[in-house]
Amino acid sequence: ILSATVDAAADTQGTSAPETVVPSSVPQPKDDFQEELVIRPLHSGDIYASFQFRTLWDTDFMRENKVSHYRLFPKSLGQVISKFSVRELHISFTQGYWRTMQWGQPFIPSPPGAELWVWFQDSVTDVDATWKELTNVLSGIFCASLNFIDSTNTVQPSASFKPLGIGNVTDHSFLRYATLPREIVCTENLTPWKKLLPCGSKAGLAVLLKSEKLFHSSFHSQAVHIRSVCQDWQCKTTSWELRQTVNSVFDLHNSGQAKREWSLFKMFSRTLTEACPLASSSKLYIDITDNPQQFELSPATSLLSQAVVLGDRRTFSVYDLTQETTFGSVRSLNLLIRWKSNEGEMLRPLLHAERYVAGYGLQTGEIHTLMYNNHPYRSFPVLLLDSVPWYLRLYIHTLSVTSKGKDNKPSYIHYEPSKDRVKPHLLEMLIQLPPNSVTEVTVQFERALLKWTEYPPDPNHGFYVGSSVISSLVPSTVAMDTNSTRERPLFSSFFPCKEESSYFVRIYTEPLLVNLPTPDFSMPYNVICLTCTVVAVGYGSLYNLLTRSFQIEEPNPGLAKRIANVIRKMRGVPPL
Amino acid sequence: MAAPLTLLLIVAVTIRAALFRSSLAELIAERVEVVSPITAWKRVVEGLALLDLGVSPYSGDVFHETPLIIYMFHFLVDYAEITFMLADVITAVALYMAVKEYNKQVFRKQKFALEADRYPMDSLELIRSPKEMYYIPLKVAMFYLLNPFTILSCVAKSTCGLNNAVLALFFLSTIKGNVLLSAIFLCLATYQSIYPITLCAPAMLYFMQRQYIPVNFRRVSFWWFIVQYLFMYLGSLFVLICLSFFLLGSWDYLPSVYGFILSVPDLTPNIGLFWYFFAEMFEHFRLFFLCVFQINVFFYTIPLSIKLKEHPVFLMFMQLAVISIFKSYPTVGDVALYLAFLPVWSHLHRFLRNIFLVSCVLLACSVLFPVLWHLWIYAGSANSNFYYAITLLFNVAQILLVSDYFYAFLRREHHLTNGLYLKRKDGSEATLILK
């Protein structure tokens, strides 16, 4: 239904010309590295920085002779791809939650915690075993506790998460998706991530990635995306693309000291001195679409570029770091962005979602997911993917989807019920959102009592439920904007232009924190003893009644008489 | 006797209908004392919804009913309230007719024993008269229908009511002497929850007594009857299991229904002993204690059968009680079934020792269950130990009740053979003890 082949951050220059490497005895596959940083000042005064490092390599990991000469592409990831027959891999580590209504849409969305989804090649016979090994290997590469990914939090989506690279696969048995909402991101995860870059953190834009400032932000997300892309427009051969992205939002009050004045030094405590020598292109984009007169950039630049990203035509000032003149006489670039006025409106996001738990007590509850369609006149379908752990028992007969107060029946529901301690619930629905409305999806659940060993060390903190994923092709408002079609000839402006008519959006809702009833952890031995006592009481009374018979009670003779009876018995004389 | 019974049925149906219409019905349907993961109505509706979605109800862990129940409620889901009220009515009427027939047999046996001069002179006051036995069937029906446990179970639409109806029909067909029907109803009851298999023993003993087959291991007729009964029972069970396979097209339901009852994976609190025990069990010993607790239910059959081979109906009561107390997911509906039999043994009340204590404890526990549940789950001021303690107390009270009745029964039998006023060797009044 939805094919997600649209790139979230459009690169207006297209695929760059591959660089030729110094020829050696064996012709090396061509590889190329590009880096870019987009800085977008947000309407609330915060600032959004998005790094992307892309390595393209024309090689074939899947063929028989193993690839051994790695140059720009990191060897650890190359070995992962060939050993586990990975078609696509997307992993992200995020700290914080992306606030769509205040910050707009991110270039690369990611849920709080860790998220991993992988498409395997058709040649894999046992996908579950391969998945388990892969998560453990990635856990080692990124120093994260991805080994907690097992069958209880892995799902196989049936319609969402179509491949982002080439290759239109329809067999979803090769797809695995897992998320760890409780995973914390810290310097230990950033360091091995930086090591995967060709220049490391020594040159180029990666110099700015310092953990003291990055983890002091409102939102920090680092991700690795591996997929196959076409080499040229004819797509006769493919190359592997590795993208490493960092998305950060720096807070106006925390990092900005409440002044609407940002500089590279203030954000990252570093300035740029040179581009990465291995990069074919190294650029810094500043988004100046929201009122170009509103803020001033220094040092000024004459390069401008325009791109349609997320359904919106944006204008960017470009600094080309491969040019010496960018760095000026001080040989360092410390970009300064100063606001002049506070006016201006942010483009309202057309799709945004919220999720919360309703109800009280530790027995039952209700999950409510609200999806807002802010488009003035268009309705569009969204695909909602919900993965709920097994200990929150969903009752699918209580599922209700309402828009504007009326029932809105989903056209496609795929539900896989959970199995205790084996797999989670999976609910995927295709819902049509009416224009300018709120759609509410509610489902009731019951909380289970777990075995005492299954609770985490702080059981009263609660259990996390991973974010819901909402994927959609949102109609863009640019396409129907007659201003942009005015300068085009009539023969091309009748139908809305294909690239601009809709854009792919993936939204993650908040993760939920749910409390479960707990047993008393200090009492296992007491409980066992007391319960066995009750069973023994039953056993004992029935045993007594079954094995004994009624007899007349003879009073117990005194001690003297008893001794006398014993002596009399020995003598053979009848007792007293 | 038809008129008072009809009046009783009308009153019972009115109470249930009134409660169905009130807002209490949803509250009661969620109470863990009344419904369990096996019997909850919410789960039956969930299973039907899963079938509508095209997913097998047994692929998840929410639905644990048998395929026949799905099939039945597929057609009856709109008439669920009437179904459960009808089940209660059938149970009451079946118990009424069965107890009436049983009383006739008891009286006839007593008459023969009196004529044969088997009772000593001073135990004649223990002989029962038709006058005192006249109202017992009505009391049995009343004890079942007007028991708050039964009313709660019916209003919650717990499928325990259906199980009770099948067991009552089994009891009726056994008392009436119909071997085939008895085997079929017992097989239906076993098919729904495994534990009624232990009721084979009292049923077989009853039939052997009725058909004058001596209960002697060395007799061929004894084994031949056992083979016949077991053949009918196992045959109908086999037919039912295969029928369930054809209804849904797979064997998924076997681990989901029987595996669930036997391996107790779901630790939802209930009035039984299993949930907290296995919530706090050391993993290493889990299998061992699971086997111990499950064997505990089946284990009393042989010893009780040997002791009570002359009194199969009392044996059936004891077995029902043992099942209701020690099964893996008990509910108050199971308790209500064996409590309904108590008027049949009303002549034992002079020998009961703990009845006041037991009834006070049962009453207090029934009131404290919802209070402590609220404090644990909603108010957060108590923890699970409070609810667990009341569970323990409730089960101890039930065990005391059952063993008290057993004691009284055995004691009466002893007095009937040895005389009521016993004297010691020196002529003074004697006390009886168990030795």
Side-chain angles (χ1 to χ4, degrees):
Chain A
I1 308 147
L2 299 167
S3 62
T5 51
V6 177
D7 220 278
D11 191 352
T12 50
Q13 294 174 328
T15 53
S16 59
E19 268 193 3
T20 44
V21 183
V22 173
S24 63
S25 53
V26 178
Q28 301 293 335
K30 302 177 193 141
D31 52 7
D32 170 57
F33 175 66
Q34 290 177 322
E35 54 180 19
E36 88 179 15
L37 165 61
V38 178
I39 295 185
R40 178 198 276 183
L42 298 170
H43 181 64
S44 52
D46 307 324
I47 194 153
Y48 172 32
S50 171
F51 292 81
Q52 286 211 29
F53 302 93
R54 178 174 91 158
T55 309
L56 271 178
W57 196 19
D58 322 338
T59 182
D60 185 7
F61 284 112
M62 299 300 137
R63 60 150 199 256
E64 300 303 310
N65 2 344
K66 298 225 175 94
V67 177
S68 54
H69 188 88
Y70 288 84
R71 202 177 77 105
L72 295 176
F73 202 94
K75 183 171 180 179
S76 48
L77 290 180
Q79 287 179 324
V80 161
I81 298 175
S82 50
K83 179 159 192 244
F84 298 109
S85 308
V86 165
R87 188 195 288 273
E88 263 190 44
L89 185 142
H90 302 269
I91 183 167
S92 73
F93 299 94
T94 312
Q95 168 207 299
Y97 176 67
W98 182 270
R99 294 169 210 289
T100 315
M101 286 309 270
Q102 288 160 312
W103 298 340
Q105 296 280 5
F107 292 123
I108 313 243
S110 51
E115 183 204 40
L116 170 66
W117 57 282
V118 175
W119 274 94
F120 290 96
Q121 302 275 1
D122 297 343
S123 55
V124 175
T125 43
D126 188 352
V127 184
D128 289 314
T130 320
W131 169 254
K132 187 139 184 68
E133 280 185 52
L134 176 65
T135 51
N136 279 294
V137 165
L138 288 175
S139 174
I141 295 178
F142 292 104
C143 289
S145 42
L146 296 174
N147 51 323
F148 284 123
I149 294 180
D150 56 11
S151 65
T152 59
N153 47 22
T154 308
V155 289
Q156 249 183 270
S158 67
S160 318
F161 293 104
K162 293 246 183 285
L164 289 177
I166 57 164
N168 194 22
V169 279
T170 49
D171 191 353
H172 278 256
S173 65
F174 292 104
L175 169 64
R176 292 289 182 275
Y177 173 80
T179 146
L180 291 173
R182 206 175 174 156
E183 184 72 12
I184 301 175
V185 189
C186 55
T187 318
E188 267 101 52
N189 304 117
L190 185 61
T191 315
W193 187 95
K194 281 197 287 191
K195 282 208 196 120
L196 297 171
L197 294 169
C199 282
S201 52
K202 298 188 177 58
L205 290 170
V207 149
L208 297 176
L209 297 174
K210 289 296 166 199
S211 27
E212 317 91 61
K213 284 293 189 172
L214 274 183
F215 290 107
H216 200 59
S217 55
S218 305
F219 177 86
H220 170 80
S221 169
Q222 63 201 53
V224 169
H225 300 276
I226 302 177
R227 59 181 178 173
S228 304
V229 292
C230 292
Q231 268 182 29
D232 50 21
W233 65 276
Q234 278 170 329
C235 211
K236 290 221 184 69
T237 46
T238 64
S239 46
W240 284 91
E241 179 195 75
L242 164 69
R243 276 193 198 226
Q244 290 180 253
T245 65
V246 170
N247 285 316
S248 278
V249 174
F250 294 96
D251 190 71
L252 170 69
H253 298 282
N254 254 340
S255 317
Q257 288 123 31
K259 274 193 285 185
R260 278 173 170 254
E261 191 184 288
W262 291 99
S263 69
L264 279 184
F265 191 79
K266 199 169 178 193
M267 289 197 283
F268 302 107
S269 70
R270 290 283 184 286
T271 59
L272 290 168
T273 48
E274 54 164 348
C276 174
L278 298 167
S280 63
S281 125
S282 178
K283 290 201 164 67
L284 174 56
Y285 294 84
I286 316 291
D287 189 335
I288 57 173
T289 324
D290 296 329
N291 303 16
Q293 274 72 47
Q294 231 192 7
F295 49 80
E296 65 170 84
L297 289 178
S298 81
T301 177
S302 55
L303 293 171
L304 276 182
S305 99
Q306 276 211 341
V308 176
V309 55
L310 297 171
D312 198 12
R313 186 175 290 283
R314 320 273 319 167
T315 317
F316 299 89
S317 289
V318 187
Y319 292 81
D320 190 345
L321 298 173
T322 47
Q323 310 291 332
E324 278 296 322
T325 52
T326 321
F327 296 104
S329 52
V330 292
R331 307 252 174 83
S332 98
L333 174 64
N334 183 16
L335 191 62
L336 191 64
I337 306 170
R338 198 183 293 123
W339 262 253
K340 286 198 269 195
S341 64
N342 269 352
E343 289 138 27
E345 307 187 335
M346 186 181 74
L347 181 71
R348 213 158 141 231
L350 291 177
L351 174 65
H352 112 270
E354 286 170 356
R355 192 166 71 147
Y356 58 90
V357 172
Y360 67 100
L362 295 175
Q363 189 177 2
T364 52
E366 249 183 35
I367 299 182
H368 290 245
T369 309
L370 289 132
M371 291 181 284
Y372 296 84
N373 177 358
N374 295 328
H375 201 286
Y377 51 85
R378 277 272 185 87
S379 75
F380 51 86
V382 297
L383 198 56
L384 172 65
L385 169 77
D386 240 323
S387 161
V388 178
W390 65 266
Y391 37 82
L392 301 180
R393 302 202 165 99
L394 290 184
Y395 285 97
I396 206 70
H397 69 272
T398 57
L399 176 70
S400 85
V401 183
T402 47
S403 304
K404 290 182 177 163
K406 285 187 298 189
D407 218 16
N408 179 359
K409 201 161 160 6
S411 50
Y412 167 76
I413 300 185
H414 172 79
Y415 178 61
E416 265 176 50
S418 68
K419 268 205 120 34
D420 274 9
R421 303 178 179 92
V422 170
K423 63 177 178 132
H425 297 278
L426 174 67
L427 176 63
E428 272 189 281
M429 298 191 285
L430 184 66
I431 307 174
Q432 189 85 3
L433 300 184
N436 218 2
S437 67
V438 181
T439 304
E440 185 167 356
V441 178
T442 59
V443 67
Q444 280 181 18
F445 65 88
E446 198 179 76
R447 301 172 207 227
L449 184 72
L450 307 177
K451 298 184 201 166
W452 71 303
T453 47
E454 288 174 345
Y455 287 87
D458 51 348
N460 290 306
H461 178 76
F463 288 77
Y464 283 94
V465 179
S467 315
S468 300
V469 187
I470 296 166
S471 323
S472 171
L473 271 176
V474 178
S476 145
T477 45
V478 174
M480 294 307 278
D481 179 14
T482 46
N483 284 333
S484 64
T485 54
R486 198 163 283 161
E487 57 265 8
R488 291 158 61 186
L490 294 174
F491 59 79
S492 71
S493 61
F494 182 71
F495 291 109
C497 176
K498 277 210 187 79
E499 315 134 32
E500 302 179 358
S501 63
S502 60
Y503 58 97
F504 178 73
V505 143
R506 184 172 281 148
I507 294 189
Y508 294 92
T509 62
E510 298 95 326
L512 301 172
L513 190 57
V514 173
N515 262 324
L516 291 183
T518 57
D520 188 345
F521 298 100
S522 62
M523 279 192 32
Y525 191 65
N526 301 5
V527 167
I528 296 175
C529 285
L530 286 170
T531 314
C532 290
T533 305
V534 171
V535 174
V537 162
Y539 175 80
S541 9
L542 286 180
Y543 175 82
N544 261 343
L545 291 164
L546 285 169
T547 52
R548 298 184 186 196
S549 56
F550 287 102
Q551 287 172 18
I552 298 196
E553 181 192 10
E554 294 296 331
N556 229 352
L559 185 61
K561 261 201 177 160
R562 268 191 276 157
I563 297 175
N565 277 336
V566 165
I567 299 172
R568 286 184 106 150
K569 202 158 68 172
M570 287 194 313
R571 280 171 56 195
V573 174
L576 289 166
Chain B
M1 282 295 277
L5 179 65
T6 324
L7 181 65
L8 175 66
L9 290 176
I10 292 175
V11 167
V13 167
T14 313
I15 297 178
R16 285 160 172 75
L19 280 173
F20 269 128
R21 290 282 160 265
S22 75
S23 63
L24 285 176
E26 273 120 43
L27 260 166
I28 295 173
E30 282 194 345
R31 299 266 6 136
V32 287
E33 297 91 10
V34 184
V35 297
S36 71
I38 305 184
T39 59
W41 175 248
K42 200 171 180 188
R43 296 195 181 221
V44 172
V45 176
E46 177 72 8
L48 291 172
L50 283 174
L51 259 187
D52 284 338
L53 270 178
V55 177
S56 161
Y58 301 110
S59 58
D61 248 336
V62 164
F63 186 73
H64 301 287
E65 301 273 3
T66 54
L68 274 186
I69 298 269
I70 307 183
Y71 193 67
M72 190 174 91
F73 280 114
H74 192 64
F75 301 110
L76 292 177
V77 68
D78 296 323
Y79 307 109
E81 297 169 0
I82 298 180
T83 312
F84 286 103
M85 282 198 280
L86 199 63
D88 269 2
V89 162
I90 289 177
T91 313
V93 170
L95 286 176
Y96 176 89
M97 287 163 47
V99 171
K100 205 154 147 188
E101 178 71 29
Y102 172 63
N103 278 348
K104 274 193 228 157
Q105 290 170 7
V106 161
F107 188 65
R108 195 173 42 205
K109 231 190 280 186
Q110 198 178 248
K111 200 165 75 156
F112 289 151
L114 267 178
E115 284 167 8
D117 246 347
R118 272 202 253 137
Y119 297 140
M121 288 313 291
D122 55 356
S123 58
L124 284 177
E125 58 185 82
L126 293 177
I127 302 297
R128 305 165 73 186
S129 64
K131 194 162 141 223
E132 78 186 44
M133 298 198 332
Y134 186 67
Y135 280 110
I136 288 181
L138 187 65
K139 278 193 213 166
V140 167
M142 196 163 69
F143 258 54
Y144 185 75
L145 281 176
L146 300 181
N147 191 347
F149 289 162
T150 325
I151 298 179
L152 284 176
S153 192
C154 179
V155 173
K157 292 192 271 213
S158 159
T159 55
C160 184
L162 300 176
N163 207 14
N164 287 356
V166 172
L167 281 170
L169 286 170
F170 153 73
F171 184 52
L172 174 64
S173 48
T174 311
I175 298 284
K176 292 279 192 186
N178 192 333
V179 183
L180 180 65
L181 270 186
S182 155
I184 292 178
F185 281 123
L186 186 62
C187 150
L188 270 174
T190 311
Y191 169 72
Q192 208 177 342
S193 74
I194 307 177
Y195 300 106
I197 196 172
T198 57
L199 294 172
C200 269
M204 286 197 280
L205 282 173
Y206 182 84
F207 284 122
M208 285 198 265
Q209 198 182 62
R210 197 185 162 97
Q211 294 175 2
Y212 303 112
I213 301 173
V215 182
N216 192 342
F217 290 124
R218 288 183 220 119
R219 297 293 198 102
V220 174
S221 50
F222 171 76
W223 291 111
W224 177 237
F225 182 78
I226 288 186
V227 163
Q228 278 180 310
Y229 190 83
L230 283 180
F231 175 74
M232 281 190 270
Y233 174 71
L234 291 172
S236 14
L237 197 59
F238 178 73
V239 166
L240 263 182
I241 296 211
C242 290
L243 191 66
S244 312
F245 170 71
F246 287 118
L247 267 179
L248 284 176
S250 71
W251 294 110
D252 283 355
Y253 75 97
L254 286 176
S256 241
V257 181
Y258 304 118
F260 183 79
I261 296 178
L262 290 176
S263 68
V264 192
D266 188 335
L267 298 172
T268 314
N270 50 52
I271 60 173
L273 296 165
F274 278 66
W275 63 281
Y276 205 54
F277 188 71
F278 288 104
E280 299 267 18
M281 174 53 62
F282 300 105
E283 274 308 305
H284 187 66
F285 294 106
R286 187 164 199 274
L287 186 61
F288 169 70
F289 278 105
L290 191 63
C291 295
V292 166
F293 269 53
Q294 295 288 5
I295 289 173
N296 187 45
V297 184
F298 298 99
F299 165 75
Y300 294 107
T301 312
I302 308 274
L304 279 175
S305 312
I306 295 173
K307 184 84 178 183
L308 291 171
K309 59 178 181 268
E310 312 285 328
H311 315 283
V313 176
F314 190 77
L315 174 63
M316 216 176 288
F317 164 70
M318 289 287 300
Q319 278 296 351
L320 271 177
V322 162
I323 294 174
S324 303
I325 300 171
F326 293 117
K327 70 192 286 197
S328 46
Y329 292 102
T331 62
V332 292
D334 301 306
V335 175
L337 183 63
Y338 78 81
L339 283 181
F341 278 86
L342 293 184
V344 184
W345 325 114
S346 54
H347 56 280
L348 297 174
H349 79 274
R350 64 185 292 170
F351 299 116
L352 292 170
R353 293 177 300 174
N354 302 327
I355 202 64
F356 177 67
L357 175 71
V358 164
S359 40
C360 284
V361 173
L362 282 177
L363 204 62
C365 287
S366 316
V367 170
L368 278 175
F369 269 124
V371 170
L372 291 171
W373 177 258
H374 178 86
L375 282 181
W376 172 27
I377 298 287
Y378 295 100
S381 55
N383 65 8
S384 48
N385 293 333
F386 292 69
Y387 193 78
Y388 166 65
I390 298 301
T391 301
L392 285 182
L393 211 53
F394 190 72
N395 284 305
V396 166
Q398 283 184 80
I399 291 172
L400 275 181
L401 174 72
V402 169
S403 58
D404 210 16
Y405 267 90
F406 194 23
Y407 170 86
F409 190 84
L410 291 176
R411 181 142 172 200
R412 180 174 175 269
E413 293 302 312
H414 183 263
H415 281 307
L416 279 180
T417 44
N418 298 16
L420 188 55
Y421 299 106
L422 300 164
K423 302 242 182 306
R424 267 189 238 142
K425 287 203 195 112
D426 51 6
S428 59
E429 204 171 314
T431 47
L432 268 187
I433 51 162
L434 276 174
K435 250 210 180 149

